[in-house]
PDB file of all heavy atoms in Angstrom:
ATOM      1  N   GLN G   1       0.851  -1.180   0.000  1.00  0.00           N
ATOM      2  CA  GLN G   1       0.000   0.000   0.000  1.00  0.00           C
ATOM      3  C   GLN G   1       0.887   1.230   0.000  1.00  0.00           C
ATOM      4  O   GLN G   1       1.779   1.362   0.806  1.00  0.00           O
ATOM      5  CB  GLN G   1      -0.896  -0.063   1.236  1.00  0.00           C
ATOM      6  CG  GLN G   1      -1.697   1.174   1.497  1.00  0.00           C
ATOM      7  CD  GLN G   1      -2.657   0.945   2.640  1.00  0.00           C
ATOM      8  OE1 GLN G   1      -3.314  -0.060   2.692  1.00  0.00           O
ATOM      9  NE2 GLN G   1      -2.714   1.870   3.549  1.00  0.00           N
ATOM     10  N   VAL G   9      -0.906  -2.833   8.830  1.00  0.00           N
ATOM     11  CA  VAL G   9      -0.214  -3.950   9.469  1.00  0.00           C
ATOM     12  C   VAL G   9      -1.206  -5.102   9.550  1.00  0.00           C
ATOM     13  O   VAL G   9      -2.297  -4.950  10.096  1.00  0.00           O
ATOM     14  CB  VAL G   9       0.272  -3.573  10.892  1.00  0.00           C
ATOM     15  CG1 VAL G   9       0.945  -4.757  11.552  1.00  0.00           C
ATOM     16  CG2 VAL G   9       1.204  -2.372  10.834  1.00  0.00           C
ATOM     17  N   ASN G  12      -1.715 -12.388  11.183  1.00  0.00           N
ATOM     18  CA  ASN G  12      -2.429 -13.637  10.950  1.00  0.00           C
ATOM     19  C   ASN G  12      -1.945 -14.644  11.983  1.00  0.00           C
ATOM     20  O   ASN G  12      -0.738 -14.857  12.127  1.00  0.00           O
ATOM     21  CB  ASN G  12      -2.179 -14.149   9.533  1.00  0.00           C
ATOM     22  CG  ASN G  12      -2.712 -13.196   8.496  1.00  0.00           C
ATOM     23  OD1 ASN G  12      -3.906 -12.913   8.462  1.00  0.00           O
ATOM     24  ND2 ASN G  12      -1.836 -12.663   7.660  1.00  0.00           N
ATOM     25  N   ASP G  15      -3.822 -21.193  16.162  1.00  0.00           N
ATOM     26  CA  ASP G  15      -3.575 -21.835  17.450  1.00  0.00           C
ATOM     27  C   ASP G  15      -4.338 -23.152  17.501  1.00  0.00           C
ATOM     28  O   ASP G  15      -5.439 -23.259  16.969  1.00  0.00           O
ATOM     29  CB  ASP G  15      -4.044 -20.906  18.576  1.00  0.00           C
ATOM     30  CG  ASP G  15      -3.781 -21.490  19.959  1.00  0.00           C
ATOM     31  OD1 ASP G  15      -2.736 -22.138  20.152  1.00  0.00           O
ATOM     32  OD2 ASP G  15      -4.623 -21.289  20.840  1.00  0.00           O
ATOM     33  N   GLY G  22      -8.123 -26.578  15.019  1.00  0.00           N
ATOM     34  CA  GLY G  22      -7.407 -25.380  15.432  1.00  0.00           C
ATOM     35  C   GLY G  22      -8.259 -24.151  15.160  1.00  0.00           C
ATOM     36  O   GLY G  22      -9.375 -24.239  14.658  1.00  0.00           O
ATOM     37  N   SER G  24      -7.965 -20.051  13.661  1.00  0.00           N
ATOM     38  CA  SER G  24      -7.164 -18.983  13.076  1.00  0.00           C
ATOM     39  C   SER G  24      -7.913 -17.672  13.200  1.00  0.00           C
ATOM     40  O   SER G  24      -9.133 -17.648  13.294  1.00  0.00           O
ATOM     41  CB  SER G  24      -6.850 -19.289  11.610  1.00  0.00           C
ATOM     42  OG  SER G  24      -8.038 -19.345  10.857  1.00  0.00           O
ATOM     43  N   SER G  26      -7.368 -13.209  12.094  1.00  0.00           N
ATOM     44  CA  SER G  26      -6.578 -12.172  11.445  1.00  0.00           C
ATOM     45  C   SER G  26      -6.997 -10.809  11.961  1.00  0.00           C
ATOM     46  O   SER G  26      -8.156 -10.595  12.296  1.00  0.00           O
ATOM     47  CB  SER G  26      -6.786 -12.208   9.928  1.00  0.00           C
ATOM     48  OG  SER G  26      -6.316 -13.416   9.395  1.00  0.00           O
ATOM     49  N   LEU G  30      -4.415  -0.088  10.963  1.00  0.00           N
ATOM     50  CA  LEU G  30      -3.906   1.039  10.190  1.00  0.00           C
ATOM     51  C   LEU G  30      -3.223   1.968  11.180  1.00  0.00           C
ATOM     52  O   LEU G  30      -3.824   2.378  12.171  1.00  0.00           O
ATOM     53  CB  LEU G  30      -5.044   1.739   9.452  1.00  0.00           C
ATOM     54  CG  LEU G  30      -5.795   0.832   8.469  1.00  0.00           C
ATOM     55  CD1 LEU G  30      -6.987   1.564   7.881  1.00  0.00           C
ATOM     56  CD2 LEU G  30      -4.876   0.331   7.378  1.00  0.00           C
ATOM     57  N   ILE G  33       1.546   7.166  10.311  1.00  0.00           N
ATOM     58  CA  ILE G  33       3.001   7.166  10.147  1.00  0.00           C
ATOM     59  C   ILE G  33       3.664   8.211  11.043  1.00  0.00           C
ATOM     60  O   ILE G  33       4.735   7.977  11.603  1.00  0.00           O
ATOM     61  CB  ILE G  33       3.380   7.379   8.666  1.00  0.00           C
ATOM     62  CG1 ILE G  33       3.004   6.132   7.864  1.00  0.00           C
ATOM     63  CG2 ILE G  33       4.856   7.693   8.509  1.00  0.00           C
ATOM     64  CD1 ILE G  33       3.198   6.254   6.382  1.00  0.00           C
ATOM     65  N   GLY G  36       2.401   7.116  15.084  1.00  0.00           N
ATOM     66  CA  GLY G  36       2.510   5.731  15.530  1.00  0.00           C
ATOM     67  C   GLY G  36       1.238   5.209  16.171  1.00  0.00           C
ATOM     68  O   GLY G  36       1.206   4.075  16.646  1.00  0.00           O
ATOM     69  N   GLN G  42     -13.492   6.173  13.256  1.00  0.00           N
ATOM     70  CA  GLN G  42     -13.824   7.596  13.361  1.00  0.00           C
ATOM     71  C   GLN G  42     -12.703   8.488  12.835  1.00  0.00           C
ATOM     72  O   GLN G  42     -12.932   9.660  12.562  1.00  0.00           O
ATOM     73  CB  GLN G  42     -14.226   7.995  14.781  1.00  0.00           C
ATOM     74  CG  GLN G  42     -13.104   7.969  15.780  1.00  0.00           C
ATOM     75  CD  GLN G  42     -12.985   6.669  16.541  1.00  0.00           C
ATOM     76  OE1 GLN G  42     -13.588   5.658  16.184  1.00  0.00           O
ATOM     77  NE2 GLN G  42     -12.210   6.671  17.604  1.00  0.00           N
ATOM     78  N   PHE G  45     -13.900   8.061   8.841  1.00  0.00           N
ATOM     79  CA  PHE G  45     -15.268   8.271   8.373  1.00  0.00           C
ATOM     80  C   PHE G  45     -15.999   9.308   9.212  1.00  0.00           C
ATOM     81  O   PHE G  45     -15.937   9.287  10.443  1.00  0.00           O
ATOM     82  CB  PHE G  45     -16.040   6.951   8.383  1.00  0.00           C
ATOM     83  CG  PHE G  45     -15.510   5.967   7.371  1.00  0.00           C
ATOM     84  CD1 PHE G  45     -14.629   4.973   7.752  1.00  0.00           C
ATOM     85  CD2 PHE G  45     -15.883   6.054   6.039  1.00  0.00           C
ATOM     86  CE1 PHE G  45     -14.125   4.073   6.815  1.00  0.00           C
ATOM     87  CE2 PHE G  45     -15.395   5.164   5.100  1.00  0.00           C
ATOM     88  CZ  PHE G  45     -14.506   4.174   5.487  1.00  0.00           C
ATOM     89  N   SER G  46     -16.728  10.189   8.538  1.00  0.00           N
ATOM     90  CA  SER G  46     -17.444  11.273   9.208  1.00  0.00           C
ATOM     91  C   SER G  46     -18.764  10.823   9.820  1.00  0.00           C
ATOM     92  O   SER G  46     -19.246  11.457  10.754  1.00  0.00           O
ATOM     93  CB  SER G  46     -17.704  12.413   8.225  1.00  0.00           C
ATOM     94  OG  SER G  46     -18.514  11.951   7.145  1.00  0.00           O
ATOM     95  N   PRO G  66     -33.330 -11.278   5.190  1.00  0.00           N
ATOM     96  CA  PRO G  66     -34.227 -10.147   4.942  1.00  0.00           C
ATOM     97  C   PRO G  66     -34.003  -9.005   5.949  1.00  0.00           C
ATOM     98  O   PRO G  66     -33.597  -9.227   7.091  1.00  0.00           O
ATOM     99  CB  PRO G  66     -35.626 -10.748   5.118  1.00  0.00           C
ATOM    100  CG  PRO G  66     -35.444 -12.217   4.900  1.00  0.00           C
ATOM    101  CD  PRO G  66     -34.056 -12.527   5.403  1.00  0.00           C
ATOM    102  N   ASN G  70     -34.408 -10.441  12.613  1.00  0.00           N
ATOM    103  CA  ASN G  70     -33.459 -10.238  13.698  1.00  0.00           C
ATOM    104  C   ASN G  70     -32.227 -11.095  13.413  1.00  0.00           C
ATOM    105  O   ASN G  70     -32.343 -12.281  13.093  1.00  0.00           O
ATOM    106  CB  ASN G  70     -34.115 -10.642  15.029  1.00  0.00           C
ATOM    107  CG  ASN G  70     -33.199 -10.482  16.202  1.00  0.00           C
ATOM    108  OD1 ASN G  70     -32.229 -11.214  16.352  1.00  0.00           O
ATOM    109  ND2 ASN G  70     -33.517  -9.538  17.060  1.00  0.00           N
ATOM    110  N   GLU G  73     -31.882 -14.268  15.464  1.00  0.00           N
ATOM    111  CA  GLU G  73     -32.785 -15.318  14.976  1.00  0.00           C
ATOM    112  C   GLU G  73     -32.259 -15.967  13.703  1.00  0.00           C
ATOM    113  O   GLU G  73     -32.563 -17.118  13.415  1.00  0.00           O
ATOM    114  CB  GLU G  73     -34.181 -14.747  14.747  1.00  0.00           C
ATOM    115  CG  GLU G  73     -34.870 -14.339  16.030  1.00  0.00           C
ATOM    116  CD  GLU G  73     -36.177 -13.601  15.797  1.00  0.00           C
ATOM    117  OE1 GLU G  73     -36.643 -13.509  14.633  1.00  0.00           O
ATOM    118  OE2 GLU G  73     -36.728 -13.083  16.783  1.00  0.00           O
ATOM    119  N   PHE G  76     -26.781 -15.352  13.888  1.00  0.00           N
ATOM    120  CA  PHE G  76     -25.572 -14.557  14.080  1.00  0.00           C
ATOM    121  C   PHE G  76     -25.534 -13.980  15.484  1.00  0.00           C
ATOM    122  O   PHE G  76     -26.555 -13.769  16.108  1.00  0.00           O
ATOM    123  CB  PHE G  76     -25.489 -13.455  13.011  1.00  0.00           C
ATOM    124  CG  PHE G  76     -25.224 -14.024  11.652  1.00  0.00           C
ATOM    125  CD1 PHE G  76     -26.274 -14.379  10.828  1.00  0.00           C
ATOM    126  CD2 PHE G  76     -23.930 -14.258  11.227  1.00  0.00           C
ATOM    127  CE1 PHE G  76     -26.040 -14.945   9.583  1.00  0.00           C
ATOM    128  CE2 PHE G  76     -23.682 -14.819   9.990  1.00  0.00           C
ATOM    129  CZ  PHE G  76     -24.742 -15.170   9.165  1.00  0.00           C
ATOM    130  N   ASP G  79     -25.187  -8.522  19.564  1.00  0.00           N
ATOM    131  CA  ASP G  79     -25.937  -8.196  20.778  1.00  0.00           C
ATOM    132  C   ASP G  79     -27.305  -7.640  20.429  1.00  0.00           C
ATOM    133  O   ASP G  79     -27.407  -6.658  19.679  1.00  0.00           O
ATOM    134  CB  ASP G  79     -25.179  -7.178  21.637  1.00  0.00           C
ATOM    135  CG  ASP G  79     -23.951  -7.786  22.307  1.00  0.00           C
ATOM    136  OD1 ASP G  79     -23.898  -9.023  22.446  1.00  0.00           O
ATOM    137  OD2 ASP G  79     -23.051  -7.019  22.681  1.00  0.00           O
ATOM    138  N   VAL G  82     -28.632  -6.722  16.764  1.00  0.00           N
ATOM    139  CA  VAL G  82     -28.359  -5.459  16.077  1.00  0.00           C
ATOM    140  C   VAL G  82     -26.953  -5.507  15.459  1.00  0.00           C
ATOM    141  O   VAL G  82     -25.964  -5.713  16.163  1.00  0.00           O
ATOM    142  CB  VAL G  82     -28.481  -4.265  17.048  1.00  0.00           C
ATOM    143  CG1 VAL G  82     -28.127  -2.956  16.353  1.00  0.00           C
ATOM    144  CG2 VAL G  82     -29.876  -4.206  17.643  1.00  0.00           C
ATOM    145  N   LEU G  85     -20.391  -2.656  13.305  1.00  0.00           N
ATOM    146  CA  LEU G  85     -19.084  -2.773  12.665  1.00  0.00           C
ATOM    147  C   LEU G  85     -18.022  -3.010  13.729  1.00  0.00           C
ATOM    148  O   LEU G  85     -18.159  -2.540  14.854  1.00  0.00           O
ATOM    149  CB  LEU G  85     -18.743  -1.486  11.906  1.00  0.00           C
ATOM    150  CG  LEU G  85     -19.525  -1.247  10.624  1.00  0.00           C
ATOM    151  CD1 LEU G  85     -19.221   0.141  10.069  1.00  0.00           C
ATOM    152  CD2 LEU G  85     -19.207  -2.316   9.595  1.00  0.00           C
ATOM    153  N   ASN G  86     -16.980  -3.710  13.346  1.00  0.00           N
ATOM    154  CA  ASN G  86     -15.840  -3.863  14.241  1.00  0.00           C
ATOM    155  C   ASN G  86     -14.712  -2.937  13.775  1.00  0.00           C
ATOM    156  O   ASN G  86     -14.858  -2.201  12.810  1.00  0.00           O
ATOM    157  CB  ASN G  86     -15.399  -5.326  14.322  1.00  0.00           C
ATOM    158  CG  ASN G  86     -14.903  -5.872  12.994  1.00  0.00           C
ATOM    159  OD1 ASN G  86     -14.654  -5.147  12.037  1.00  0.00           O
ATOM    160  ND2 ASN G  86     -14.756  -7.178  12.919  1.00  0.00           N
ATOM    161  N   ASN G  94     -10.205  -0.561  -4.254  1.00  0.00           N
ATOM    162  CA  ASN G  94     -11.574  -0.179  -4.594  1.00  0.00           C
ATOM    163  C   ASN G  94     -12.577  -0.369  -3.468  1.00  0.00           C
ATOM    164  O   ASN G  94     -13.784  -0.241  -3.699  1.00  0.00           O
ATOM    165  CB  ASN G  94     -12.048  -0.979  -5.819  1.00  0.00           C
ATOM    166  CG  ASN G  94     -11.204  -0.706  -7.034  1.00  0.00           C
ATOM    167  OD1 ASN G  94     -10.954   0.448  -7.367  1.00  0.00           O
ATOM    168  ND2 ASN G  94     -10.752  -1.755  -7.692  1.00  0.00           N
ATOM    169  N   ASP G  97     -12.804  -3.055   3.604  1.00  0.00           N
ATOM    170  CA  ASP G  97     -13.196  -4.412   3.981  1.00  0.00           C
ATOM    171  C   ASP G  97     -13.180  -4.579   5.490  1.00  0.00           C
ATOM    172  O   ASP G  97     -12.218  -4.162   6.153  1.00  0.00           O
ATOM    173  CB  ASP G  97     -12.239  -5.432   3.358  1.00  0.00           C
ATOM    174  CG  ASP G  97     -12.206  -5.355   1.839  1.00  0.00           C
ATOM    175  OD1 ASP G  97     -13.239  -5.006   1.245  1.00  0.00           O
ATOM    176  OD2 ASP G  97     -11.145  -5.639   1.252  1.00  0.00           O
ATOM    177  N   PHE G  98     -14.240  -5.195   6.004  1.00  0.00           N
ATOM    178  CA  PHE G  98     -14.351  -5.503   7.428  1.00  0.00           C
ATOM    179  C   PHE G  98     -14.262  -7.010   7.583  1.00  0.00           C
ATOM    180  O   PHE G  98     -14.986  -7.756   6.930  1.00  0.00           O
ATOM    181  CB  PHE G  98     -15.684  -4.992   7.987  1.00  0.00           C
ATOM    182  CG  PHE G  98     -15.750  -3.503   8.041  1.00  0.00           C
ATOM    183  CD1 PHE G  98     -16.143  -2.770   6.938  1.00  0.00           C
ATOM    184  CD2 PHE G  98     -15.388  -2.828   9.198  1.00  0.00           C
ATOM    185  CE1 PHE G  98     -16.174  -1.378   6.980  1.00  0.00           C
ATOM    186  CE2 PHE G  98     -15.423  -1.441   9.253  1.00  0.00           C
ATOM    187  CZ  PHE G  98     -15.812  -0.718   8.139  1.00  0.00           C
ATOM    188  N   ALA G 106     -20.424 -15.553  14.466  1.00  0.00           N
ATOM    189  CA  ALA G 106     -21.092 -16.767  13.984  1.00  0.00           C
ATOM    190  C   ALA G 106     -20.282 -17.988  14.415  1.00  0.00           C
ATOM    191  O   ALA G 106     -19.117 -17.869  14.795  1.00  0.00           O
ATOM    192  CB  ALA G 106     -21.217 -16.723  12.465  1.00  0.00           C
ATOM    193  N   ILE G 114     -16.216 -11.633   5.599  1.00  0.00           N
ATOM    194  CA  ILE G 114     -15.674 -10.356   5.132  1.00  0.00           C
ATOM    195  C   ILE G 114     -16.796  -9.562   4.479  1.00  0.00           C
ATOM    196  O   ILE G 114     -17.514 -10.077   3.623  1.00  0.00           O
ATOM    197  CB  ILE G 114     -14.520 -10.574   4.134  1.00  0.00           C
ATOM    198  CG1 ILE G 114     -13.379 -11.337   4.807  1.00  0.00           C
ATOM    199  CG2 ILE G 114     -14.036  -9.233   3.582  1.00  0.00           C
ATOM    200  CD1 ILE G 114     -12.277 -11.775   3.876  1.00  0.00           C
ATOM    201  N   HIS G 131      -4.872   6.820  -0.465  1.00  0.00           N
ATOM    202  CA  HIS G 131      -4.142   6.697  -1.730  1.00  0.00           C
ATOM    203  C   HIS G 131      -3.723   5.249  -1.960  1.00  0.00           C
ATOM    204  O   HIS G 131      -3.378   4.548  -1.023  1.00  0.00           O
ATOM    205  CB  HIS G 131      -2.866   7.539  -1.686  1.00  0.00           C
ATOM    206  CG  HIS G 131      -3.102   8.975  -1.366  1.00  0.00           C
ATOM    207  ND1 HIS G 131      -3.498   9.883  -2.314  1.00  0.00           N
ATOM    208  CD2 HIS G 131      -3.023   9.664  -0.206  1.00  0.00           C
ATOM    209  CE1 HIS G 131      -3.635  11.067  -1.745  1.00  0.00           C
ATOM    210  NE2 HIS G 131      -3.344  10.967  -0.464  1.00  0.00           N
TER     211      HIS G 131
END
Side-chain angles (χ1 to χ4, degrees):
Q1 171 174 314
V9 178
N12 297 300
D15 182 37
S24 63
S26 296
L30 300 175
I33 290 174
Q42 69 266 13
F45 293 98
S46 61
N70 179 290
E73 292 172 7
F76 291 90
D79 288 339
V82 177
L85 288 173
N86 64 13
N94 299 311
D97 301 329
F98 291 85
I114 299 172
H131 304 278

